[in-house]
Amino acid sequence: MSQVAHKKRIGAEAVESKGWLRAHKWLILRRLSQFGILGLFLLGPLAGLWIVKGNLNYSHTLGLLPLTDPYVALQALFAGHVPEKLGLIGLAIALAFYLLVGGRVYCSWVCPVNVVTDAAGWLRDRLGIKGASSISRNTRYWILGMTLLGSALSGVVLWELVNPVSMLHRGLIFGMGAAWTVVIAVFLLDLFVMNRGWCGRLCPVGAFYSLVGRWSPLRISAPLRTACNDCMDCFEVCPEPQVIRPALKGEGKGVGPVILAPACTNCGRCIDVCSKEVFTYGLRFNNPASTVTLVKVQPETK
Amino acid sequence: MNPKNSTPPKSGAARRQFLFDSARMVCGVGLLGLGLGFYAKRAKALPALALRPPGALPEDDFLGACIRCGLCVRDCPYNTLELAKPETPVATGTPYFTARNIPCEMCEDIPCVKACPTKALDHALTDINQAKMGVAVLIDHETCLNFLGLRCDVCYRVCPVIDKAITLEMLPNERTGRHAMFLPTVHSEHCTGCGKCEKSCVLEEAAIRVLPPKLAKGELGHHYRVGWDEQKKAGRSLIDESKMLDLPDRLPEGAQLPGHYDPASGHTAPARGLPGSEAGAIPSLPPGLGGKP
């Protein structure tokens, strides 16, 4: 019995108190965003409706809006090549956007590999796979540095030779070929080898975007953290659980409720699974050291 | 315990841990980088039959400038271009075409170059006739129908730069002795490498193929001066021709050159079979059928 109680699904409490829909609100919106963006790219080749041309590395929307992936552009810069005018404009727009909303919004709201690794994470939880190998979450920053240095040394946009993110997205739009094998490899890595291995430890794209979002105003905040009942659901559902603790448990240590760690993907799953509605999207600046006053307004919940 | 060592061990251990962790990362990630580097080096060896779009930078630069977006592929009206898949021997995600499948149609407005958000396709290319995607080479003289003495001419006819990039050079057909061969001849300074010739070659395997200029072209020594060009430039011979010595010609033992004047002996070999000699340029009957050789 205790085993069964222990295996309680993540977010079960939230579903009970808020209803299924509200307990999955941000997840659903995120999937809509991911598949919506992919759908826009696919409308051209599948239906002949050319709203967006290109792929995530660079796209041209309605012949008006250029968007350049800053990480790919940076590798090209390190290799000694400056983009053309449209490429540069697209670079500025994309950078400005992610500087504002948080770099890793790319990971959780746009990147197609996120769906793959989330699926692996979900299945890992359902199958109860535990205790696999692990490497430091900082590995990705080292890989990021290596790809930039390597681009400079080899004169090739280095990570694009093997990048599973662009392979999957480009594959879906331009023809998959053997890119499936890479996607499956990432899935199996996350499922059997490492918990949150790809997005959380290895991927230099996410590492780059987390640096871009280092000072982004839009952040997840835990203003009602004193209502936390330590159910641990947010830690279990979070792809980067290490980012939660300082903000959630910072009361009395002079740490504000805003999750400032740049690795946070702003995915909002913690908001969904919390039955106490501790978390919310907020601004970095709204970060008082103490949030006790806030919880007094909150009526007693069960 | 030595009190002197009681505080430093902690920071010392932390420092050691930090150094070990860093070393582990540098080694692990460095190994990955080394592998990627060698892969990148191999990726630069573009297969000979994979051609880059018009205006593409040399392969070394191209792989550093191209961001693999596929805009050139999208704006090509003939579906010529495709993005390399991971299993193709072309750097993943970069655009290329295979002339034998779909050649470049040489659009006058060059939409693929215009679409490129980087300098991977050089925007300075505005005249498609200046493109250098490769150079056509009549690679097999043994199977080309025109070399067999037939009048195929297809590569010549489809060439968008006809009579400049490909000409038909007439030579006597020594097999029949009474016909001409019209040999398709590529002039590299006009050839754009569009691949129409390779696409339309009627053989099972094309006898004419577009190759990267690096493979297709020789290069004269930079100190070479071609005498007749220099003479034309100067308007006169660059040497005093009256003082020129004609040295005795060495011929292989027993060899005969009809009509040859040997300045050493002052002897002229008989000129049979040459124009103006009694036999004429072309024998009246093919050799072996009783005519004079």
Side-chain angles (χ1 to χ4, degrees):
Chain A
M1 263 328 271
S2 65
Q3 194 78 348
V4 176
H6 180 69
K7 271 306 289 177
K8 169 185 73 81
R9 296 289 315 285
I10 302 168
E13 264 180 71
V15 172
E16 217 173 280
S17 66
K18 299 196 287 192
W20 190 90
L21 205 61
R22 277 195 59 218
H24 292 85
K25 177 178 155 194
W26 293 108
L27 179 66
I28 295 167
L29 286 175
R30 221 152 51 76
R31 294 287 178 254
L32 281 177
S33 161
Q34 288 166 326
F35 286 108
I37 289 168
L38 187 60
L40 279 178
F41 276 102
L42 282 171
L43 268 182
L46 294 186
L49 264 172
W50 292 104
I51 296 170
V52 187
K53 277 182 188 173
N55 57 39
L56 285 180
N57 285 4
Y58 172 83
S59 63
H60 209 192
T61 305
L62 294 168
L64 281 173
L65 172 69
L67 290 172
T68 312
D69 182 300
Y71 176 46
V72 181
L74 188 66
Q75 288 173 78
L77 279 174
F78 269 80
H81 295 276
V82 184
E84 274 289 327
K85 195 176 77 191
L86 272 181
L88 285 172
I89 295 172
L91 178 65
I93 296 173
L95 264 182
F97 177 77
Y98 287 114
L99 279 171
L100 284 178
V101 302
R104 294 206 69 195
V105 160
Y106 175 86
C107 300
S108 55
W109 292 77
V110 179
C111 178
V113 170
N114 175 267
V115 181
V116 176
T117 56
D118 271 0
W122 177 85
L123 192 60
R124 191 182 170 86
D125 180 54
R126 292 307 299 268
L127 298 177
I129 302 171
K130 297 233 182 286
S133 56
S134 168
I135 53 171
S136 164
R137 286 188 179 266
N138 286 331
T139 311
R140 51 188 157 184
Y141 295 105
W142 289 87
I143 296 181
L144 171 65
M146 176 272 285
T147 59
L148 295 179
L149 183 68
S151 294
L153 291 178
S154 67
V156 172
V157 180
L158 199 64
W159 191 245
E160 283 311 292
L161 291 174
V162 292
N163 187 357
V165 176
S166 45
M167 270 196 207
L168 174 59
H169 192 255
R170 189 193 305 119
L172 289 168
I173 300 164
F174 287 89
M176 204 68 185
W180 278 118
T181 55
V182 179
V183 177
I184 289 171
V186 167
F187 179 81
L188 293 179
L189 173 88
D190 268 29
L191 181 59
F192 292 119
V193 186
M194 258 179 248
N195 185 26
R196 298 284 173 187
W198 186 258
C199 303
R201 301 170 201 278
L202 295 172
C203 179
V205 181
F208 171 82
Y209 275 105
S210 84
L211 295 181
V212 169
R214 185 73 187 76
W215 291 281
S216 73
L218 183 70
R219 301 266 75 186
I220 303 273
S221 179
L224 301 183
R225 56 188 175 180
T226 44
C228 171
N229 63 354
D230 292 330
C231 73
M232 300 301 282
D233 276 0
C234 56
F235 285 101
E236 293 203 18
V237 85
C238 180
E240 305 278 349
Q242 78 280 9
V243 306
I244 299 178
R245 178 169 299 276
L248 185 62
K249 299 296 168 195
E251 189 70 40
K253 295 176 196 162
V255 181
V258 174
I259 295 178
L260 291 173
C264 170
T265 68
N266 278 3
C267 70
R269 276 300 276 153
C270 53
I271 306 176
D272 280 349
V273 299
C274 182
S275 60
K276 304 294 178 199
E277 315 222 25
V278 165
F279 298 97
T280 178
Y281 280 104
L283 293 176
R284 147 186 306 269
F285 321 108
N286 194 7
N287 199 15
S290 171
T291 49
V292 186
T293 46
L294 286 167
V295 88
K296 281 182 184 155
V297 195
Q298 178 84 345
E300 276 299 309
T301 42
K302 50 176 177 172
Chain B
M1 290 277 149
N2 189 344
K4 255 187 178 176
N5 279 352
S6 59
T7 32
K10 182 148 193 185
S11 69
R15 193 185 307 125
R16 273 170 71 88
Q17 191 58 43
F18 171 77
L19 285 176
F20 280 135
D21 284 350
S22 301
R24 212 166 53 142
M25 282 296 168
V26 168
C27 293
V29 174
L31 205 62
L32 178 69
L34 198 66
L36 264 180
F38 283 125
Y39 182 47
K41 196 161 159 42
R42 262 196 37 206
K44 285 181 181 174
L46 187 68
L49 290 185
L51 302 173
R52 294 295 186 193
L57 298 177
E59 191 63 12
D60 267 14
D61 293 328
F62 186 82
L63 291 183
C66 172
I67 58 172
R68 286 83 163 152
C69 68
L71 264 279
C72 53
V73 176
R74 287 298 179 229
D75 282 7
C76 172
Y78 298 96
N79 296 321
T80 301
L81 298 170
E82 57 181 311
L83 292 186
K85 301 191 172 96
E87 70 273 25
T88 11
V90 177
T92 307
T94 54
Y96 74 103
F97 70 100
T98 312
R100 191 68 165 162
N101 295 344
I102 311 176
C104 173
E105 295 286 342
M106 288 173 61
C107 309
E108 271 182 28
D109 52 343
I110 331 182
C112 49
V113 172
K114 282 187 185 157
C116 181
T118 69
K119 294 184 176 74
L121 303 185
D122 188 357
H123 288 236
L125 179 77
T126 48
D127 175 9
I128 189 66
N129 289 315
Q130 301 301 315
K132 270 273 164 284
M133 295 168 268
V135 175
V137 179
L138 210 154
I139 209 157
D140 189 2
H141 294 186
E142 293 171 345
T143 52
C144 170
L145 295 183
N146 276 35
F147 268 80
L148 295 178
L150 307 174
R151 288 299 303 274
C152 165
D153 297 3
V154 168
C155 56
Y156 162 77
R157 302 258 168 229
V158 297
C159 178
V161 202
I162 187 171
D163 284 326
K164 282 186 189 154
I166 303 185
T167 56
L168 292 178
E169 301 296 322
M170 199 162 59
L171 273 180
N173 183 341
E174 290 185 358
R175 181 179 58 83
T176 65
R178 57 177 66 219
H179 301 97
M181 297 196 294
F182 294 81
L183 305 184
T185 306
V186 177
H187 304 274
S188 61
E189 74 269 32
H190 294 294
C191 176
T192 64
C194 72
K196 297 276 281 187
C197 52
E198 181 177 342
K199 167 69 181 170
S200 30
C201 177
V202 301
L203 302 185
E204 292 290 320
E205 292 283 345
I208 187 165
R209 291 180 193 193
V210 178
L211 299 178
K214 185 123 185 77
L215 281 185
K217 289 288 292 170
E219 191 176 342
L220 281 175
H222 295 291
H223 60 290
Y224 277 36
R225 298 289 176 270
V226 181
W228 48 93
D229 282 347
E230 299 300 320
Q231 190 172 5
K232 218 178 276 172
K233 261 190 259 169
R236 59 179 173 80
S237 178
L238 297 186
I239 52 168
D240 186 356
E241 287 193 13
S242 66
K243 290 197 178 130
M244 215 163 75
L245 280 178
D246 195 357
L247 294 172
D249 298 330
R250 277 200 310 178
L251 289 178
E253 216 168 304
Q256 298 248 330
L257 270 184
H260 177 250
Y261 167 73
D262 179 23
S265 60
H267 172 73
T268 305
R272 273 187 8 175
L274 285 184
S277 73
E278 77 275 26
I282 295 165
S284 53
L285 276 173
L289 290 179
K292 282 179 178 173

